[in-house]
Amino acid sequence: QVQVAESGGGSVQPGGSLRLSCAASGRLSSAYTVTWYRQAPGNEREFVARIINGGRTDYTDSVKGRFTISRIRNTVYLQMNSLEPDDTAVYYCNVRWQSYDYWGQGTQVTVSS
C-alpha cells in the first residue's frame, strides 16, 4: 500500500513562515506527482502547488512568489513565506501514481494576529 503523512502545520502571525512536509511511503516508484490543496470551512478545496516527478512545478497565482514546493527523495516540502490571514486552511497532500490518488490526513495552518 501507499501511505501519505503530512506535518508542519501550526499557528503563525501575518508575515510569518511555515514549512509543511509530505512523506510518501510504500511500494511505489519515484515517478509520481505531488499536489498540495487547501480548504477553509465553507470554501471549496483549492489547488495550491504541484511538483511533477520531482521536477516541474506549478503554483496558483495567489501564492506565487511566497510559496515554494520541492522534493528530496520521498518527502515533498511546501515552504510558505509572507503568510496572510487568507492562507488559513487545512492543507492536504495528494500523491498521484499509476492513475491512483493517495491523500494525507491534512494539517491545520492558522494565520492571525
Side-chain angles (χ1 to χ4, degrees):
Q1 73 279 357
V2 175
Q3 291 182 308
V4 179
E6 299 144 327
S7 62
S11 297
V12 66
Q13 293 183 336
S17 297
L18 287 172
R19 188 179 72 165
L20 306 183
S21 298
C22 175
S25 62
R27 299 176 64 85
L28 77 166
S29 66
S30 61
Y32 56 87
T33 295
V34 176
T35 304
W36 284 97
Y37 297 88
R38 65 188 182 187
Q39 186 170 23
N43 294 346
E44 65 180 10
R45 182 173 290 112
E46 176 189 23
F47 164 80
V48 178
R50 177 171 56 239
I51 184 165
I52 301 173
N53 296 335
R56 190 174 71 82
T57 60
D58 190 30
Y59 303 88
T60 191
D61 285 343
S62 64
V63 308
K64 287 181 179 177
R66 299 189 298 121
F67 291 10
T68 302
I69 189 170
S70 61
R71 175 181 160 187
I72 300 177
R73 295 184 177 91
N74 285 342
T75 301
V76 170
Y77 301 94
L78 185 66
Q79 178 67 46
M80 306 185 296
N81 298 325
S82 302
L83 284 163
E84 305 168 352
D86 284 347
D87 296 318
T88 296
V90 177
Y91 284 69
Y92 297 93
C93 179
N94 170 272
V95 174
R96 176 165 290 180
W97 175 66
Q98 296 189 344
S99 79
Y100 289 91
D101 286 331
Y102 303 90
W103 291 88
Q105 80 287 349
T107 184
Q108 176 72 49
V109 172
T110 302
V111 185
S112 66
S113 59

